[in-house]
């Protein structure tokens, strides 16, 4: 399985969101690495819970950004978040009950979902936020200078 690496093109432009996305990528990578070295069910369960917690926190933060900005696409976007949370809850529940250990199909689902969501729903949110920022600073000459020290 190829590495799930963060790429610059995934950046939405809001530092807190981009940081949390990288955290989620890392959590899925950790699960993949554990599966590849055939980690035991307890360790897989812990890593799955880490991903679940990072996901819950991130979606809440991202939805707060959308609400604050009055983002018109929030309904659909949050519904997609909800669907993934339900899916992760089901993975955790099945893993805990040991009826279906987290398998390669579940992991592929998680990585695909994450990349597709970041490239589509989150990219659309990022574009909208950038457009809005431009509208709020109509005269570029009066806009504050960019910090180029970073
Ligand atoms: Fe999102």
């Amino acid at each position: 399985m190829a590495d799930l690496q963060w790429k610059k093109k995934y950046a939405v432009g809001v530092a807190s969101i981009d940081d949390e996305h990288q955290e989620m990528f890392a959590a899925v990578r950790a699960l993949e690495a554990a599966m590849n070295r055939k980690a035991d069910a307890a360790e897989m369960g812990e890593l799955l819970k880490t991903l679940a917690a990072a996901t819950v926190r991130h979606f809440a933060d991202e939805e707060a950004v959308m609400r604050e900005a009055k983002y018109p696409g929030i309904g659909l976007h949050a519904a997609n978040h909800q669907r993934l949370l339900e899916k992760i809850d089901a993975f955790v529940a099945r893993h805990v009950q040991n009826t279906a250990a987290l398998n390669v199909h579940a992991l592929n689902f998680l990585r695909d979902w994450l990349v597709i969501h970041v490239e589509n729903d989150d990219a659309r949110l990022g574009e909208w936020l950038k457009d809005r920022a431009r509208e709020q600073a109509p005269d570029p000459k009066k806009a504050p200078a960019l910090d180029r020290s970073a």
Side-chain angles (χ1 to χ4, degrees), residues 11-60:
V12 167
V14 178
S16 60
I17 291 179
D18 289 331
D19 287 350
E20 288 175 354
H21 281 162
Q22 292 187 55
E23 197 185 324
M24 288 179 70
F25 273 59
V28 175
R29 276 202 310 270
L31 268 172
E32 280 184 344
M35 183 172 287
N36 288 342
R37 62 179 154 76
K38 303 193 176 11
D40 61 23
E43 187 182 349
M44 293 297 291
E46 282 310 309
L47 290 169
L48 191 54
K49 281 182 202 160
T50 301
L51 171 66
T55 305
V56 167
R57 196 173 58 242
H58 166 59
F59 286 175

Side-chain angles (χ1 to χ4, degrees), residues 21 58-59 62 77 81 117 121-122:
H21 281 162
H58 166 59
F59 286 175
E62 199 175 85
H77 195 141
H81 284 173
H117 183 72
D121 286 348
D122 293 336

Side-chain angles (χ1 to χ4, degrees), residues 69-108:
K70 298 188 170 49
Y71 177 54
I74 186 172
L76 213 64
H77 195 141
N80 285 338
H81 284 173
Q82 190 53 38
R83 271 196 288 276
L84 182 74
L85 288 177
E86 284 164 12
K87 196 88 182 173
I88 291 182
D89 274 353
F91 288 152
V92 172
R94 285 193 308 218
H95 193 83
V96 168
Q97 292 159 10
N98 208 15
T99 52
L102 192 74
N103 60 25
V104 74
H105 301 293
L107 255 179
N108 282 340

